[in-house]
Amino acid sequence: MTILGEYVLPRDQSIWTSTLVEALRVLDIEEKSARQALARSSAEGWVVSERVGRRVRWSLTPPGRRLLTEGAERIYAFGNEEKAWDDRWLMLIVSVPEAKRDLRHRLRTRLTWAGFGSPVAGVWVSPDLSRQREAQQIVQELGLDAQAMSFTAAYGDVGDQETMVARSWDLSDLKDRYEDFIDRFTGLHPSGERGVLRAQTELVHEWRSFPFLDPRLPLKLLPDGWSGVRAADLFHRKHVEWRPEAQAQWDELVAASD
């Protein structure tokens, strides 16, 4: 999906199987696994194949193009701007009986992916008030809208905001992931025939998970020297630096397959 989004999506053209297999080989992925990945992507409706003589070429389907476009917007925009925060919180109250464990898991998974944290059972909070519509959609689709309630307000005088944040989100694992990203790509100077293509693809592939892992809290709620800021700066700087050569090396792969 990273290769499709980074190289195929910007070009309105189909791609030979051999091009995709070779691109994945650059990433140390064997041909059998590469072909299995193509088959899975096809089965999921992201790409469609066309036979030309004895060869096969692939094109993005409309749903695949839409998925990759939305993903690219989220990936490339993430960490690129800091929104002003007015100190107000969105609070969602929704409880699920203990007996309905599967429903509780689905609710937790979807709200977590939407950036919500839970300081206590049945209560979800987000500093992003624009998430209210998404929260409403989630509880409606799960059939929980009848008992759900939401509020927007500033934090009061009881307790402290820092403790609530610490109880709502486990930032320690996220911090470690950001620091691993920084350690991996800081000072990396790719070389060789396909070195920049590989480096750029791995950079994007590693970065693409962060928009879904990071609740995107305002800076004032994060620890001093938050590693996510440094990681975002590194990603955007390297992506711009490597992009021209990586795209040129992709074009070379395409030309070699024609």
Side-chain angles (χ1 to χ4, degrees):
M1 296 302 285
T2 300
I3 287 176
L4 292 176
E6 185 70 11
Y7 307 107
V8 178
L9 179 64
R11 296 165 171 83
D12 187 19
Q13 61 185 41
S14 57
I15 298 296
W16 295 112
T17 300
S18 57
T19 302
L20 293 167
V21 168
E22 177 61 19
L24 289 167
R25 187 196 65 78
V26 171
L27 299 163
D28 298 328
I29 297 173
E30 295 181 354
E31 180 175 346
K32 180 180 179 180
S33 298
R35 291 181 180 275
Q36 288 173 343
L38 270 172
R40 286 196 303 271
S41 298
S42 177
E44 292 171 3
W46 311 137
V47 295
V48 62
S49 63
E50 176 190 8
R51 182 167 293 278
V52 182
R54 299 181 62 183
R55 305 179 71 189
V56 174
R57 60 187 179 191
W58 300 83
S59 302
L60 294 174
T61 63
R65 183 170 291 277
R66 185 165 57 251
L67 173 76
L68 290 171
T69 299
E70 292 172 355
E73 291 172 354
R74 190 166 188 175
I75 291 166
Y76 302 137
F78 183 71
N80 228 357
E81 58 183 26
E82 173 63 21
K83 295 181 180 179
W85 185 48
D86 62 2
D87 293 337
R88 291 198 299 159
W89 289 89
L90 169 62
M91 180 171 66
L92 176 70
I93 300 176
V94 54
S95 59
V96 181
E98 176 67 29
K100 298 183 178 180
R101 292 186 177 181
D102 179 64
L103 182 58
R104 291 180 68 184
H105 174 72
R106 289 162 63 197
L107 177 68
R108 173 172 291 276
T109 298
R110 293 192 61 180
L111 287 175
T112 298
W113 278 80
F116 283 82
S118 179
V120 295
V123 177
W124 295 84
V125 295
S126 170
D128 186 350
L129 303 191
S130 69
R131 294 288 180 184
Q132 187 156 205
R133 180 175 294 181
E134 186 173 1
Q136 183 179 32
Q137 181 179 357
I138 290 170
V139 295
Q140 284 178 343
E141 291 178 355
L142 295 179
L144 296 169
D145 49 318
Q147 61 261 47
M149 297 176 284
S150 66
F151 304 85
T152 59
Y155 194 88
D157 295 330
V158 179
D160 64 85
Q161 199 163 237
E162 291 76 15
T163 299
M164 185 190 72
V165 170
R167 292 174 62 176
S168 301
W169 293 277
D170 180 10
L171 297 177
S172 58
D173 180 63
L174 181 61
K175 173 177 174 288
D176 290 342
R177 285 173 176 261
Y178 274 132
E179 292 182 350
D180 288 343
F181 180 88
I182 293 168
D183 290 343
R184 179 173 180 181
F185 292 102
T186 296
L188 179 61
H189 301 288
S191 59
E193 184 181 6
R194 300 282 183 255
V196 179
L197 177 70
R198 174 172 180 147
Q200 180 82 323
T201 307
E202 291 179 340
L203 179 82
V204 174
H205 189 70
E206 291 299 319
W207 183 251
R208 66 182 296 152
S209 63
F210 287 114
F212 302 98
L213 296 173
D214 192 330
R216 287 156 283 171
L217 300 178
L219 279 177
K220 66 186 298 183
L221 297 176
L222 294 168
D224 292 338
W226 177 240
S227 55
V229 175
R230 292 183 286 119
D233 177 71
L234 176 65
F235 169 76
H236 292 291
R237 181 162 42 83
K238 291 290 188 182
H239 189 261
V240 170
E241 176 187 339
W242 291 341
R243 190 179 190 281
E245 183 60 26
Q247 295 292 327
Q249 291 182 5
W250 172 263
D251 288 335
E252 291 172 4
L253 280 182
V254 172
S257 299
D258 287 342

